[in-house]
Amino acid sequence: MGVGIVVCIIFIIIAALMMTRKLPALLAMPVLAVAIAAVAGMPLMKGEENIFSTVLTNGSLKLASNYVIVIFASWLAQMMYKTGVTDTMIKKAAELGGDKPVVITLLLSAVSILLFSSMGGVGAVSMVGSTVLPILISIGIKPMAAAHMFLAAMSAGYCIRPANMASIVAIFGIETKDLMTAAWILLGVEVIYLLIYLTVYMKKNGRKYAFAMAADEGDDEDMKNIIQVKKVMGLRGLLACMTPLLIVILTFVFKVEAIPCFIIGILWLMVFTYKGNWSKYISMVTESCYNGIRDAAPPVILMMGIGMTLNAVSASVTQTALLPFMQVITPATLTGLLIFCCVLSPLSLYRGPFNVLGLGACLATCILNVGNFPAVVLAAVFYCTFRWPAQACPTATQVVWTSNFVKCEPVTLTNKVFIPNWIETAVSVILTGLAYGLIA
């Protein structure tokens, strides 16, 4: 019991350092992993389980397959941007909306959801957002509201993104197909959230803002980029724009694993966007790969730390030390688990204990090892709490970029939707928990 209390104290200290930005998540996770292993009594070098080999070496490689998935996803995102596919999809959606702000917003949201179902990372967010946000603002949506709608659409796409699902699958030791029901529930709830937000906003503001863009709210250079973009045209262009949809179909219909999905997506894009000079085109493909690796670097490094934490917590010596404490605090019933997660879901922010790509990797592993719930149920519920920080955490890179684009502080932006996000997370946790509880 004493070890569990000490680990909780370490949790709180690490979380406080992350929230106050004294310690970035990239360093916090390895520090947490080593601290937990040391407190549990794991030796530094000797024995079958030790900090050097079990935690640092094997832990940093534990999620290696996910690194590759993230890199391929970032590579595809870069290629879609450089070939003009991303801009074409966004522009066509805006054109189809005509002079109707609501229709334009819905179409842009739908395109953003589709794009982010295969793209990810701050690089992809900046590529899509630098086009979508100025369009929304130009049709009269207030900058902060435009930011909220864009982040909600991005989050909806993330719910069914193969790379995100692969991370959860690796942590809980389940199969991708086991998480698909949760992904669709999350997508549905997020879309409803977006529709409610848009309805409330339009009812409150009406159409008096339509086409009334304030000069200081938009960036002239960004507006120029909307006009001067690359385009793909004709049947080949249409098929190229189907790339994100292809990824979704391969994942959810044909149950293809994430890495082959993205490789097929890259090859598909090459077939339908190649024209002109082959050497120049291949140079673009190569550059997209390098840029994709650069965009993938932060999540890859973070996953190394998460792998270390998972190995530190799942080691037998650690589980023996933590089990008495975890048996006391872990809910014994599904109802208790759902209440536990609904009430404490704000702790998913700032890479907290309900964010599985943060301190939540430790909590999830500890609850899993108590044995009260099947891995698939825990994975589904924690996938729900994982959604909130993706959309509205002040430290999330996509939130920081978006808030900077609309010229407001990240905390100000996220505080505006704190309660709605809490309600949405609770609803998704309950629906998903009940669905998987019946299955299990």
Side-chain angles (χ1 to χ4, degrees):
M1 182 70 78
V3 173
I5 295 174
V6 173
V7 169
C8 279
I9 294 173
I10 294 172
F11 249 69
I12 294 171
I13 293 173
I14 295 292
L17 291 173
M18 292 170 65
M19 291 175 66
T20 56
R21 299 190 179 184
K22 302 294 183 183
L23 187 66
L26 302 181
L27 295 177
M29 299 310 296
V31 170
L32 177 66
V34 172
I36 290 175
V39 168
M42 187 181 294
L44 190 64
M45 294 179 63
K46 297 179 180 180
E48 187 176 342
E49 293 180 334
N50 60 73
I51 293 175
F52 275 14
S53 63
T54 305
V55 177
L56 298 180
T57 302
N58 298 335
S60 63
L61 298 174
K62 185 176 181 65
L63 303 178
S65 60
N66 293 78
Y67 311 162
V68 182
I69 294 171
V70 172
I71 290 171
F72 274 113
S74 298
W75 184 3
L76 177 62
Q78 284 285 340
M79 284 186 61
M80 288 176 62
Y81 178 71
K82 289 182 181 297
T83 55
V85 169
T86 300
D87 285 320
T88 300
M89 293 177 68
I90 295 169
K91 285 288 289 179
K92 287 298 181 182
E95 290 172 5
L96 287 172
D99 62 348
K100 299 177 177 63
V102 173
V103 176
I104 293 175
T105 303
L106 289 174
L107 287 172
L108 288 178
S109 297
V111 169
S112 296
I113 292 171
L114 186 58
L115 286 170
F116 286 113
S117 67
S118 58
M119 303 168 71
V122 68
V125 170
S126 63
M127 292 173 203
V128 178
S130 59
T131 304
V132 169
L133 288 170
I135 293 176
L136 290 177
I137 294 170
S138 71
I139 62 173
I141 305 295
K142 291 182 178 180
M144 191 172 291
H148 287 146
M149 294 177 196
F150 171 67
L151 287 170
M154 178 218 68
S155 178
Y158 273 13
C159 292
I160 55 173
R161 181 173 175 246
N164 285 356
M165 296 174 65
S167 299
I168 307 298
V169 165
I171 290 171
F172 286 91
I174 60 175
E175 297 182 17
T176 302
K177 64 180 182 180
D178 297 328
L179 204 60
M180 289 184 177
T181 300
W184 287 116
I185 292 174
L186 275 175
L187 174 62
V189 173
E190 186 68 71
V191 169
I192 293 171
Y193 169 93
L194 180 57
L195 293 174
I196 292 173
Y197 185 94
L198 177 60
T199 302
V200 172
Y201 174 83
M202 295 306 296
K203 185 176 181 179
K204 181 179 179 181
N205 295 281
R207 294 190 56 172
K208 61 184 178 181
Y209 293 102
F211 302 100
M213 181 178 178
D216 60 341
E217 297 290 3
D219 189 291
D220 291 338
E221 195 62 34
D222 290 318
M223 291 306 297
K224 291 177 183 177
N225 288 338
I226 297 176
I227 302 171
Q228 301 174 354
V229 295
K230 297 177 182 177
K231 290 184 178 181
V232 290
M233 296 178 289
L235 178 60
R236 294 178 74 241
L238 176 63
L239 292 172
C241 289
M242 293 295 104
T243 303
L245 185 60
L246 173 67
I247 300 295
V248 173
I249 292 173
L250 288 174
T251 301
F252 289 94
V253 178
F254 294 101
K255 307 296 189 292
V256 179
E257 293 298 325
I259 292 176
C261 274
F262 286 114
I263 292 175
I264 293 171
I266 290 170
L267 294 175
W268 174 278
L269 198 63
M270 290 178 66
V271 169
F272 294 110
T273 58
Y274 166 70
K275 59 181 178 180
N277 190 309
W278 175 253
S279 297
K280 186 176 180 181
Y281 186 84
I282 287 300
S283 295
M284 180 277 295
V285 173
T286 304
E287 183 184 1
S288 297
C289 180
Y290 294 155
N291 290 342
I293 293 173
R294 181 195 62 197
D295 291 341
V300 165
I301 296 173
L302 179 61
M303 286 181 188
M304 290 181 183
I306 292 171
M308 294 178 193
T309 303
L310 291 173
N311 272 18
V313 173
S314 59
S316 59
V317 62
T318 308
Q319 282 305 307
T320 301
L322 290 178
L323 188 58
F325 179 78
M326 291 306 303
Q327 287 176 330
V328 172
I329 70 168
T330 301
T333 64
L334 179 61
T335 301
L337 176 67
L338 299 184
I339 294 173
F340 182 70
C341 292
C342 288
V343 173
L344 299 179
S345 59
L347 296 179
S348 62
L349 303 175
Y350 299 97
R351 300 285 179 183
F354 278 88
N355 184 344
V356 288
L357 291 187
L359 300 180
C362 179
L363 178 63
T365 304
C366 289
I367 294 177
L368 180 62
N369 286 323
V370 171
N372 289 351
F373 308 100
V376 66
V377 174
L378 289 175
V381 171
F382 271 85
Y383 195 37
C384 294
T385 59
F386 170 65
R387 180 215 57 83
W388 185 349
Q391 178 179 340
C393 176
T395 60
T397 52
Q398 62 268 22
V399 175
V400 173
W401 181 91
T402 304
S403 60
N404 287 338
F405 191 92
V406 298
K407 298 178 175 61
C408 75
E409 289 295 320
V411 174
T412 304
L413 184 70
T414 56
N415 282 349
K416 290 285 185 179
V417 290
F418 182 86
I419 298 300
N421 265 282
W422 197 345
I423 295 172
E424 180 189 355
T425 303
V427 170
S428 61
V429 165
I430 292 170
L431 292 177
T432 305
L434 292 176
Y436 276 81
L438 292 174
I439 294 173

CSV table of all heavy atoms in Angstrom, one decimal, residues 47 56 154 169 190 209 222 239 286 329 383 394:
chain,number,residue,atom,x,y,z
A,47,GLY,N,19.6,-8.7,-12.4
A,47,GLY,CA,18.3,-9.4,-12.4
A,47,GLY,C,17.7,-9.4,-13.8
A,47,GLY,O,18.0,-8.8,-14.7
A,56,LEU,N,14.3,1.1,-19.8
A,56,LEU,CA,14.9,2.0,-20.8
A,56,LEU,C,15.1,1.4,-22.2
A,56,LEU,O,14.6,2.0,-23.2
A,56,LEU,CB,16.2,2.6,-20.3
A,56,LEU,CG,16.1,3.4,-19.0
A,56,LEU,CD1,17.5,3.9,-18.6
A,56,LEU,CD2,15.2,4.6,-19.1
A,154,MET,N,-11.6,18.2,-36.5
A,154,MET,CA,-10.3,17.5,-36.5
A,154,MET,C,-10.4,16.3,-35.5
A,154,MET,O,-10.0,15.2,-35.8
A,154,MET,CB,-9.2,18.5,-36.0
A,154,MET,CG,-7.8,17.8,-35.9
A,154,MET,SD,-6.9,18.5,-34.5
A,154,MET,CE,-7.8,17.9,-33.1
A,169,VAL,N,-4.5,0.2,-29.2
A,169,VAL,CA,-4.4,-1.2,-29.4
A,169,VAL,C,-3.1,-1.8,-28.9
A,169,VAL,O,-3.1,-2.8,-28.2
A,169,VAL,CB,-4.5,-1.6,-30.9
A,169,VAL,CG1,-4.1,-3.0,-31.2
A,169,VAL,CG2,-5.9,-1.4,-31.4
A,190,GLU,N,-19.1,13.1,-31.5
A,190,GLU,CA,-18.4,14.3,-31.9
A,190,GLU,C,-19.1,15.1,-33.0
A,190,GLU,O,-19.2,16.3,-32.9
A,190,GLU,CB,-17.0,13.9,-32.4
A,190,GLU,CG,-16.1,15.1,-32.6
A,190,GLU,CD,-15.7,15.9,-31.4
A,190,GLU,OE1,-14.9,15.4,-30.6
A,190,GLU,OE2,-16.2,17.0,-31.2
A,209,TYR,N,-23.4,38.4,-39.6
A,209,TYR,CA,-21.9,38.4,-39.7
A,209,TYR,C,-21.5,37.9,-41.1
A,209,TYR,O,-20.3,37.9,-41.4
A,209,TYR,CB,-21.3,37.6,-38.6
A,209,TYR,CG,-21.5,38.2,-37.2
A,209,TYR,CD1,-22.4,37.6,-36.4
A,209,TYR,CD2,-20.7,39.2,-36.8
A,209,TYR,CE1,-22.6,38.1,-35.1
A,209,TYR,CE2,-20.9,39.7,-35.5
A,209,TYR,CZ,-21.9,39.2,-34.7
A,209,TYR,OH,-22.0,39.7,-33.4
A,222,ASP,N,-2.4,34.5,-45.4
A,222,ASP,CA,-3.2,33.3,-45.4
A,222,ASP,C,-4.3,33.3,-46.4
A,222,ASP,O,-4.6,32.3,-47.0
A,222,ASP,CB,-3.7,33.0,-44.0
A,222,ASP,CG,-2.7,32.7,-43.0
A,222,ASP,OD1,-1.8,31.9,-43.3
A,222,ASP,OD2,-2.7,33.2,-41.9
A,239,LEU,N,-10.2,10.9,-58.0
A,239,LEU,CA,-9.8,9.7,-57.4
A,239,LEU,C,-8.7,10.0,-56.4
A,239,LEU,O,-8.6,9.3,-55.3
A,239,LEU,CB,-9.3,8.7,-58.5
A,239,LEU,CG,-10.3,8.2,-59.4
A,239,LEU,CD1,-9.7,7.4,-60.6
A,239,LEU,CD2,-11.3,7.3,-58.6
A,286,THR,N,10.1,12.2,-52.1
A,286,THR,CA,11.2,12.0,-51.1
A,286,THR,C,11.1,13.1,-50.1
A,286,THR,O,11.3,12.9,-48.9
A,286,THR,CB,12.5,12.0,-51.8
A,286,THR,OG1,12.5,11.0,-52.8
A,286,THR,CG2,13.7,11.8,-50.8
A,329,ILE,N,-8.5,1.3,-4.9
A,329,ILE,CA,-9.0,2.4,-5.6
A,329,ILE,C,-9.7,2.1,-6.9
A,329,ILE,O,-10.5,2.9,-7.5
A,329,ILE,CB,-7.9,3.4,-5.9
A,329,ILE,CG1,-6.9,2.9,-7.0
A,329,ILE,CG2,-7.2,3.8,-4.7
A,329,ILE,CD1,-6.0,3.9,-7.5
A,383,TYR,N,-10.2,5.3,-24.5
A,383,TYR,CA,-10.2,5.9,-25.9
A,383,TYR,C,-11.1,7.1,-25.9
A,383,TYR,O,-10.9,8.1,-26.5
A,383,TYR,CB,-10.6,4.9,-26.9
A,383,TYR,CG,-10.3,5.3,-28.4
A,383,TYR,CD1,-9.1,6.0,-28.6
A,383,TYR,CD2,-11.1,5.0,-29.4
A,383,TYR,CE1,-8.8,6.4,-29.9
A,383,TYR,CE2,-10.8,5.4,-30.7
A,383,TYR,CZ,-9.6,6.1,-31.0
A,383,TYR,OH,-9.3,6.5,-32.2
A,394,PRO,N,-4.9,22.8,-23.5
A,394,PRO,CA,-4.1,24.0,-23.8
A,394,PRO,C,-2.7,23.6,-24.2
A,394,PRO,O,-2.0,24.5,-24.8
A,394,PRO,CB,-4.1,24.7,-22.4
A,394,PRO,CG,-5.4,24.3,-21.8
A,394,PRO,CD,-5.5,22.9,-22.2
